[in-house]
Amino acid sequence: MDFGLVLQTDPPASQVISLMKRAERNGFRYGWTFDSAVLWQEPFVIYSQILANTQKLHVGPMVTNPGTRTWEVTASTFATLNDMYGNRTVCGIGRGDSAMRVAGRAPNTLARLGEAIDVIRDLAEGREASVDGNPIRIPWIRDGKLPVWMAAYGPKALALAGQKADGFILQLADLYLTEWMIKAVRQAAAEAGRDPSAITICVAAPAYVGEDLAHARDQCRWFGGMVGNHVADLVSRYGEHSSMVPDELTEYVKARQGYDYSHHGRAGNPSTDFVPDEIVDRFCLLGPAEAHIEKLRALRDLGVDQFAVYDMHDAKESTIDAYGTRIIPALND
């Protein structure tokens, strides 16, 4: 199993770079960041420094979207990083939540997302693609490689991930929902004539290593609120108790009363008081190292290829170190 580290690009950027270097020393193979231009610093600038200061770490957004930048700009940016540092980037992409809504725009449609996945990959790998009806090819790209991994929750998005993406990003670590969603992605891949086993499965969730479970829950409760944004969209689209979406995902958002993006992805987020302990426990990895190892082994058995640690809490360094010394070795023994 591979491991990734997920950070927000809060200033100073030097701290983000330092944590990514620490992650690589501890056996992490991927470094991910949020991508929301208003809320945080520009990640692609920081990726250049992360790549320059690491040897093998792969970097990318978790996640970008088709609306913030034009597709040829996104592709060229990835291709430039790959040309400078070797093919060490991954394009995590989704409809766009914070990046679009904070700027007063609606998230992208799935049709637009599906088109963008193909175009960005083709352009970044040196092939011709159509952008707004115009055929474009980036002429200087040689031997470019850009895997595109799609984040999804709902049935139509999961189907699109199976049809188009090289990887599937699931932003929660509940065992039942992970199994249900992996099956949906792989079924869609098979129906599209693709090899289901060729799709990389990445589960991303907060991890907090320690004995004080109450404190760990409070530090990670924000995640239930972040996931709740997407879940609320699903409820509005499919209704409550829909056969299309499991109640295990949607039931807890009934008590949700809006969301303030100024606290997005941060410990102590006041918009996440509605998230019960049960959801925090199901969606995150909390407790002593042994508890993390047990749940990660269960996720691995479900077909998860990478676990990406959301490290937005008051124990960033100690969590990275605990994973490096105790947890990652146990999953790769």
Side-chain angles (χ1 to χ4, degrees), residues 111-123:
R112 180 173 171 80
L113 175 57
E115 184 182 358
I117 288 172
D118 289 336
V119 169
I120 291 169
R121 183 199 291 118
D122 283 345
L123 289 176

Side-chain angles (χ1 to χ4, degrees), residues 8-294:
Q8 294 171 332
T9 51
D10 287 317
S14 58
Q15 176 69 7
V16 178
I17 297 161
S18 176
L19 288 169
M20 290 299 186
K21 291 168 61 179
R22 190 185 198 109
E24 184 178 59
R25 291 197 302 270
N26 276 282
F28 289 75
R29 291 193 61 229
Y30 287 79
W32 303 94
T33 74
F34 282 44
D35 178 16
S36 186
V38 175
L39 296 176
W40 303 289
Q41 292 186 331
E42 172 56 37
F44 286 94
V45 176
I46 300 171
Y47 296 156
S48 186
Q49 286 299 302
I50 294 171
L51 290 165
N53 284 276
T54 57
Q55 283 70 53
K56 297 181 179 180
L57 201 70
H58 288 66
V59 304
M62 190 175 281
V63 293
T64 193
N65 72 86
T68 303
R69 306 173 186 84
T70 60
W71 301 349
E72 69 273 19
V73 169
T74 298
S76 181
T77 304
F78 277 113
T80 301
L81 292 171
N82 284 337
D83 188 63
M84 292 172 69
Y85 300 107
N87 290 321
R88 291 167 56 196
T89 66
V90 181
C91 178
I93 195 167
R95 293 178 60 226
D97 177 35
S98 62
M100 298 298 286
R101 287 181 164 131
V102 167
R105 307 185 190 105
N108 297 269
T109 64
L110 286 176
R112 180 173 171 80
L113 175 57
E115 184 182 358
I117 288 172
D118 289 336
V119 169
I120 291 169
R121 183 199 291 118
D122 283 345
L123 289 176
E125 295 185 348
R127 295 183 294 275
E128 182 179 288
S130 177
V131 179
D132 296 327
N134 299 308
I136 293 175
R137 187 179 72 83
I138 302 175
W140 51 263
I141 294 175
R142 299 288 184 272
D143 302 318
K145 185 67 177 174
L146 182 66
V148 181
W149 297 6
M150 179 181 156
Y153 291 110
K156 292 181 181 179
L158 294 168
L160 181 63
Q163 294 157 6
K164 297 272 190 181
D166 302 299
F168 164 49
I169 296 171
L170 174 57
Q171 291 163 310
L172 55 79
D174 176 80
L175 296 179
Y176 172 80
L177 293 172
T178 297
E179 182 176 19
W180 184 84
M181 293 186 188
I182 289 175
K183 285 182 178 178
V185 169
R186 287 182 169 161
Q187 180 179 343
E191 291 172 355
R194 305 180 70 203
D195 178 2
S197 66
I199 298 175
T200 302
I201 307 296
C202 174
V203 162
Y208 196 107
V209 183
E211 300 290 340
D212 188 342
L213 194 55
H215 180 73
R217 286 171 176 151
D218 286 343
Q219 286 291 303
C220 298
R221 198 174 306 276
W222 62 266
F223 185 67
M226 188 183 85
V227 173
N229 289 333
H230 304 284
V231 174
D233 285 346
L234 295 177
V235 172
S236 66
R237 188 173 300 118
Y238 297 102
E240 294 183 5
H241 308 297
S242 167
S243 60
M244 301 285 287
V245 184
D247 287 347
E248 288 83 354
L249 178 61
T250 61
E251 192 70 17
Y252 82 100
V253 300
K254 288 181 178 179
R256 182 178 181 269
Q257 297 179 344
Y259 190 81
D260 181 354
Y261 279 93
S262 66
H263 305 285
H264 189 57
R266 299 187 187 279
N269 186 337
S271 300
T272 60
D273 291 345
F274 71 95
V275 180
D277 288 351
E278 180 220 353
I279 288 294
V280 183
D281 291 348
R282 282 172 45 202
F283 285 11
C284 305
L285 274 72
L286 311 174
E290 292 75 18
H292 291 245
I293 292 167
E294 180 181 3

